[in-house]
Amino acid sequence: MTPFRLLLVEDSANDAALVTAELVQAGYQPTTRRVESLESLRGALASDAWDLVLCDYRLPRFSALDVLAVLQEVGRDVPLIVLSSLLSEEQAVTLMKAGARDCFSKDRLARLGPAVARELEETRVRRERARAEVDREILARASEMLTASLEQEARLDQLVQLLVPKVADWSAFFVQDLERGGLRMVALAHPDPARRTLAMQLNQRYPLDPQAAGGPVNVLRTGLPELVPDVRQRPHAPVADAAAYLRGVEALGLRSVVNAPLPGREGALGVLSLGTLGERTLGPVDLALAQELARRAGLAMENARLFQEAREAVRLRDEFLTVAAHELRTPLTTLRLQLGTLLQRSESHHLEPEVVTRLERSVRQVRRLGTLVEGLLDVSQLSSGELSLMPERFDLEELVAEVLERYQAEARAAGCELRQSARQGLWGTWDRLRVDQAVAALISNALKFGPGRPVEVDVGRAGGFARIQVRDRGIGVPVDQVERIFERFGRAVSSHSYGGLGLGLYLTRRAAEAHGGRAWAEPGQAEGARFTLELPLEKETRD
């Protein structure tokens, strides 16, 4: 016997019994309700879900055309078959055009069984297609919501609102909370404000039982989804007070429930719950949708947690770098002054050449350490805001010559010849210290990656900009690493092969951008690379 829900619009009890008997004989087990007025019809459609409507053509105050109008008015996809003793061909055509699925005489009830079979199957296919479309739309919108830049609870609240009433009559999100026995409700959607308030009160008054054999806590503990077609028949209450649970179920009008775990890397993160009221029930299709939504929500929560952990790790690293750099700066300054004084007095104290050489080498290493410490301080400053500038007017070519002079000893140690283009004077207003650091970083970079080869430094104009170009003939820069080497701690080579923190080019670009200029590299393999720093010229200088 095939069960289905049948709404009979019929004023004759005898005819209704005749129709029901014919259906039973055809192998059906209909759950039938008979109505005799349009008001009763509307009430039946509002309170229950029907699989088929059988209607007489003419009743005392209305006709089958009025029944079709009510069906279209409430928007329910329920097929209608008209049975009548007196039905002309013209009337049948009119009914079919208006939306009736079939029309035939009560004298031909043998047609009823096949007609019902056809309509139930077509309705099933039609409803499955419609539901699949609804599910696709919900999943697409849920993905947009879960990836939006909102706080976690705001995203979960939007998601539960999306599910009501298309999928369920209410929906809730629970997240793990050890202080409340395992779960805390963070979002609830319900179209009735009074029932929503009641549900919130019940949740506060009767916490979920941590040891419950069913319900959201059990789903969190086991990681297994749960489908309860009728909560009134549930053998285990999800709260410790079973009597209170039953009172809550009755007050809310709960009928059917689905609970799906939100998967996380180390276990369930929470539970997504769906519920229905009255006679509406949930099934395997709803459970599958809830599981997919929970999976996406769990993934979004896990990503948010990892992002927060990564951001906190970066904050702690920057904080450590700031403190360490400040602590190193003072003893380094003292050491540099002491070594500088010893070097200045080396001639008067008649120190041996080997000692003087060692002193010079020590001064260079301390200066290098100082550059690294200042770089760390600059990075920590950039993490909390923009690079501050102290502009002054100076000759850029003269500054580049000073930097080259400072690096002569290091260049000799690397076997490089530093070459600067002919000087003609190029004045502008920039931050002298920042430009000095940027040029020094480019030259240091060229000496590190192009040992034994000449390094050429050209200073000139390019439109409204002063342009400094440093070219080496070292290992070059792979094309896919050209931008990466300007990132903070970005490197194109192993730190074991080449020293440094990966901050020089990052600070160079940030210094250029702070001035309104730019810095970039031109890749090359086996023929070295060329790095360019551009700084804007003053208007009178450009003219």
Side-chain angles (χ1 to χ4, degrees), residues 285-302:
V285 174
D286 305 295
L287 177 62
L289 176 64
Q291 286 183 278
E292 179 58 25
L293 287 170
R295 187 188 67 79
R296 298 188 186 198
L299 183 62
M301 290 173 65
E302 192 71 52

Side-chain angles (χ1 to χ4, degrees), residues 21 53 56 191-192 206 219 224 241 263 289 307 313 315 321 365-366 374 389 411 425 455 463 493:
V53 175
D56 198 352
D192 183 352
Y206 305 108
V219 170
L224 299 175
D241 189 342
L289 176 64
F307 175 73
R315 188 191 67 78
L321 291 178
Q365 293 302 319
V366 169
E374 293 301 327
L389 299 179
V455 173
V493 294

